[in-house]
């Protein structure tokens, strides 16, 4: 059986995520971040930010709402039970702070097959309310035994 | 920073319930990370760490070296093998190149019990953003 490449280029519904102060703190605590910029409003303001700063990898939190529908899309046809996360890349623009709304759009960038495994590469582009790209992600998911 | 310099190694031991907290914090509730029985039923040794949690440790080693969240401009990783809770993770990295514009390129990895669960990680740090 071969992978279905027909959906390459498909763009999925954008998702807007409102970045909250306590969500940033919850995330920072979960991953062990201790920089006061992520946790302490006064420290963030003293450094010139409007509110606590999202750690770079918080990109996962605001991007995932746009990624899930792409992973489960019927045209893409991923067997979720056999999927593993093979690789990840993020490129960051301006930092994100609490109070911002970030809109992420996902597209299916590539599908290929190597040694019996399917490689599904999704791209996400996340923009802030000023239209600046705050993060671009490349999500490589491997589906075993396609 | 100069080519060949090592990043300050970062060590962390995710506790037994870390995957539950990371699931809640990130929104990734895939049961292979939070349900021991489910994980075993699909052939895993038990609950495994989220790859993106492990990547966050690689990112943290870089923002700590770079002087804050605005310093990290790019990070690319490959996930290999599986991380598990309650075993120490160690992130190590080396400066590969310092460009004329001040951007520092690194390569790094994350090991657990001597096994590289993230390898070929490449990052770009901007030290004076």
């Amino acid at each position: 059986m071969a992978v279905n490449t027909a959906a390459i280029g498909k763009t999925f519904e954008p998702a807007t995520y409102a970045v909250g102060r306590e969500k940033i703190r919850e995330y920072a605590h979960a991953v062990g971040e201790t920089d006061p910029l992520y946790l302490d409003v006064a420290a963030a303001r003293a450094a010139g930010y409007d509110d606590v700063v999202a750690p770079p990898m918080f990109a996962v939190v605001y991007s995932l709402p746009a990624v899930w529908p792409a992973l489960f899309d019927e045209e893409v046809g991923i067997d979720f039970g056999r999927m593993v996360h093979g690789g990840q890349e993020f490129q960051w623009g301006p930092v994100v702070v609490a109070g911002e709304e970030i809109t992420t759009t996902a597209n299916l960038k590539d599908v290929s097959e190597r040694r019996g495994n399917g490689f599904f590469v999704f791209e996400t582009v996340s923009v802030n309310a000023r239209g600046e790209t705050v993060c671009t992600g490349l999500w490589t998911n491997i589906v075993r035994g396609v | 920073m100069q080519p060949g310099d090592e990043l300050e190694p970062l060590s962390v031991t995710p506790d037994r319930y870390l995957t539950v907290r990371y699931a809640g914090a990130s929104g990734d509730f895939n049961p292979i990370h939070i349900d021991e029985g489910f994980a075993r039923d699909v052939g895993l040794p038990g609950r495994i760490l989220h790859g993106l949690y492990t990547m966050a440790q690689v990112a943290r080693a870089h923002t700590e070296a770079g002087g804050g969240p605005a310093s990290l401009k790019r990070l690319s990783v490959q996930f290999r093998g599986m991380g598990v809770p309650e075993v120490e993770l160690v992130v190590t990295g080396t400066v590969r190149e310092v460009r004329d514009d001040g951007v520092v390129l690194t390569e790094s990895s994350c090991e657990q019990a001597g096994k590289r669960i993230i390898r070929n990680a490449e990052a770009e740090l901007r030290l004076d953003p």
Side-chain angles (χ1 to χ4, degrees), chain B residues 36-60:
Chain B
E36 197 73 23
F38 182 92
R40 290 185 195 279
D41 285 349
V42 297
L44 296 168
R47 296 173 305 136
I48 61 170
L49 298 178
H50 295 76
L52 291 169
Y53 166 82
T54 309
M55 183 179 180
Q57 304 312 314
V58 178
R60 186 155 73 91

Side-chain angles (χ1 to χ4, degrees), chain B residues 97-105 124-129:
Chain B
E97 186 184 341
V98 180
R99 294 200 319 227
D100 291 342
D101 60 2
V103 172
V104 174
L105 308 181
E124 283 183 33
L125 282 174
R126 194 164 299 155
L127 297 189
D128 293 302

Side-chain angles (χ1 to χ4, degrees), chain B residues 8-87:
Chain B
E8 184 73 28
L10 183 152
S11 301
V12 61
T13 303
D15 68 50
R16 186 171 183 180
Y17 301 111
L18 179 280
T19 58
V20 177
R21 291 198 304 284
Y22 184 81
S26 69
D28 181 351
F29 289 95
N30 188 328
I32 60 174
H33 304 300
I34 53 180
D35 183 335
E36 197 73 23
F38 182 92
R40 290 185 195 279
D41 285 349
V42 297
L44 296 168
R47 296 173 305 136
I48 61 170
L49 298 178
H50 295 76
L52 291 169
Y53 166 82
T54 309
M55 183 179 180
Q57 304 312 314
V58 178
R60 186 155 73 91
H62 283 83
T63 51
E64 288 180 2
S71 63
L72 184 59
K73 304 317 289 181
R74 188 175 83 86
L75 179 61
S76 161
V77 306
Q78 291 175 16
F79 300 113
R80 289 291 181 276
M82 289 167 291
V84 295
E86 300 186 277
V87 180

Side-chain angles (χ1 to χ4, degrees), chain A residues 51-69:
Chain A
D51 208 312
V52 292
V53 176
M57 286 295 292
F58 191 86
V60 170
V61 182
Y62 59 68
S63 301
L64 274 178
V67 173
W68 293 123

